[in-house]
């Protein structure tokens, strides 16, 4: 990557999760920390209860969807920023994932999506498929040694050079009625934002519901989102005919749902 391109990319990434978007009507300002003593009773994504009449969609063993179901959750429901301080808005999360955020302001929205994807590929030993592309088309490939330490060092580099704009180019569009775990609602831009689909369920009438998770700006714990538009269904979202998906801190259009391309290893 040329020096000029690198500088521009860093500036853009710093804006990648800004909440000032034309669709959002409910963005929160970090003005006052709202503390909570709530304890999360669920140990993992797969224990989050379903509404009556719904069952989780089947996931192939070894798939990204199956891996996401087993992501562990913390008992503490507080979202902390990379510097160890609580995020001001503590009203967005249903639960917090037991995944490190690091000590730098890097693992923001699209970065959290890439982190989960990379951790999955690492867990199933598909090391050659751990690669991401920056906005200029440069590919960052994970190479040996295939250790946790090397993976996290690699991801720090990726987080500094890639963001929502580049990830939106790397992903492929998909129909909302075909929503699956691992899909990403993403608006690539400067600013932009991204949230990941963690789970999908369906009832006998074919109605689908899904869970969303995000990190945000500044870098913070990855957390499962509540549904601010439907308290009775929350934290699940309904895959209905509405054009918009309103999350606690951002609003997407349903045309912004994307999926990962088929795994084709770089050789």
């Amino acid at each position: 990557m040329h020096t000029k391109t690198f500088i521009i990319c860093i500036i853009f990434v710093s804006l990648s999760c800004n909440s000032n978007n034309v669709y959002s009507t409910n963005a929160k300002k970090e003005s006052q920390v709202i503390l909570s003593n709530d304890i999360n009773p669920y140990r993992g994504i797969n224990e989050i209860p379903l509404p009556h009449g719904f069952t989780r969609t089947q996931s192939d063993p070894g798939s990204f969807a199956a891996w996401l179901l087993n992501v562990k959750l913390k008992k503490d429901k507080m979202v902390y920023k990379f510097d160890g301080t609580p995020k001001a808005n503590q009203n967005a999360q249903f639960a917090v994932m037991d995944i490190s955020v690091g000590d730098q302001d890097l693992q923001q929205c699209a970065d959290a999506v890439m982190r989960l994807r990379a951790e999955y590929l690492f867990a199933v030993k598909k090391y050659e498929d751990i690669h991401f592309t920056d906005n200029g088309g440069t590919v960052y490939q994970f190479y040996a040694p295939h250790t946790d330490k090397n993976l996290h060092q690699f991801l720090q580099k990726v987080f500094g050079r890639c963001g929502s704009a580049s990830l939106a180019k790397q992903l492929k569009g998909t129909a909302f009625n075909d929503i699956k775990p691992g899909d990403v609602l993403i608006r690539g831009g400067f600013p932009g934002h991204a949230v990941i689909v963690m789970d999908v369920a369906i009832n006998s009438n074919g109605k689908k519901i899904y869970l969303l998770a995000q990190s945000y700006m500044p870098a913070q714990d990855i957390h499962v989102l509540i549904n601010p538009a439907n308290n009775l269904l929350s934290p699940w979202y309904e895959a209905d005919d509405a054009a918009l998906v309103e999350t606690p801190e951002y609003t997407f259009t349903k045309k912004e749902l994307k999926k990962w391309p088929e795994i084709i290893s770089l050789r």
Side-chain angles (χ1 to χ4, degrees):
M1 173 180 280
H2 297 298
T3 302
K4 182 177 179 182
T5 305
F6 175 78
I7 293 173
I8 292 172
C9 186
I10 291 295
I11 293 172
F12 283 166
V13 168
S14 69
L15 295 173
S16 65
C17 296
N18 192 304
S19 62
N20 296 325
N21 66 95
V22 296
Y23 298 101
S24 183
T25 59
N26 61 332
K28 310 295 186 203
K29 295 182 179 179
E30 293 228 347
S31 57
Q32 181 180 358
V33 175
I34 304 171
L35 300 178
S36 172
N37 294 321
D38 289 349
I39 299 297
N40 167 49
Y42 311 114
R43 293 172 295 179
I45 296 296
N46 58 355
E47 291 190 4
I48 295 176
L50 290 161
H52 178 72
F54 283 86
T55 57
R56 287 182 162 87
T57 54
Q58 294 296 311
S59 301
D60 294 332
S63 67
F64 190 28
W67 184 87
L68 288 171
L69 275 178
N70 290 293
V71 171
K72 301 302 181 185
L73 300 173
K74 295 181 180 180
K75 289 184 177 181
D76 185 357
K77 292 180 68 173
M78 185 79 69
V79 172
Y80 292 94
K81 296 182 289 186
F82 69 97
D83 60 4
T85 61
K87 179 182 178 180
N89 176 27
Q90 294 290 330
N91 292 322
Q93 72 273 15
F94 176 80
V96 179
M97 295 186 199
D98 193 7
I99 295 175
S100 63
V101 67
D103 58 4
Q104 300 181 63
D105 190 8
L106 290 174
Q107 190 172 286
Q108 298 180 5
C109 58
D111 310 301
V113 173
M114 292 185 284
R115 169 76 184 275
L116 292 171
R117 181 67 173 178
E119 291 281 5
Y120 156 67
L121 292 169
F122 185 84
V124 296
K125 295 182 170 56
K126 294 182 179 179
Y127 306 122
E128 68 276 15
D129 295 303
I130 304 175
H131 51 82
F132 301 98
T133 307
D134 69 18
N135 208 39
T138 300
V139 177
Y140 299 90
Q141 175 72 51
F142 176 58
Y143 293 113
H146 299 136
T147 63
D148 281 318
K149 181 179 179 180
N150 194 34
L151 176 67
H152 295 152
Q153 288 176 341
F154 164 77
L155 287 173
Q156 293 299 296
K157 182 178 181 180
V158 168
F159 296 163
R161 301 183 181 183
C162 306
S164 62
S166 60
L167 184 59
K169 292 179 181 179
Q170 187 172 348
L171 300 176
K172 307 296 181 183
T174 188
F176 210 89
N177 60 9
D178 195 35
I179 190 169
K180 292 181 174 62
D183 289 349
V184 183
L185 275 167
I186 185 166
R187 182 171 306 149
F190 318 105
H193 191 41
V195 298
I196 186 167
V197 179
M198 294 297 297
D199 197 2
V200 175
I202 192 168
N203 69 7
S204 59
N205 295 322
K207 180 181 291 186
K208 290 183 179 179
I209 56 175
Y210 56 96
L211 290 177
L212 295 175
Q214 71 166 20
S215 179
Y216 208 57
M217 190 174 71
Q220 57 198 249
D221 290 322
I222 309 173
H223 46 282
V224 178
L225 294 170
I226 64 163
N227 180 349
N230 190 334
N231 291 333
L232 296 177
L233 189 62
S234 183
W236 296 90
Y237 288 71
E238 185 176 356
D240 54 20
D241 294 330
L244 303 178
V245 178
E246 181 185 347
T247 74
E249 295 174 303
Y250 209 86
T251 302
F252 296 91
T253 72
K254 289 192 172 176
K255 293 181 179 180
E256 293 173 311
L257 184 70
K258 297 199 171 191
K259 64 180 180 179
W260 295 93
E262 295 294 324
I263 293 178
I264 303 176
S265 302
L266 296 177
R267 298 190 185 278

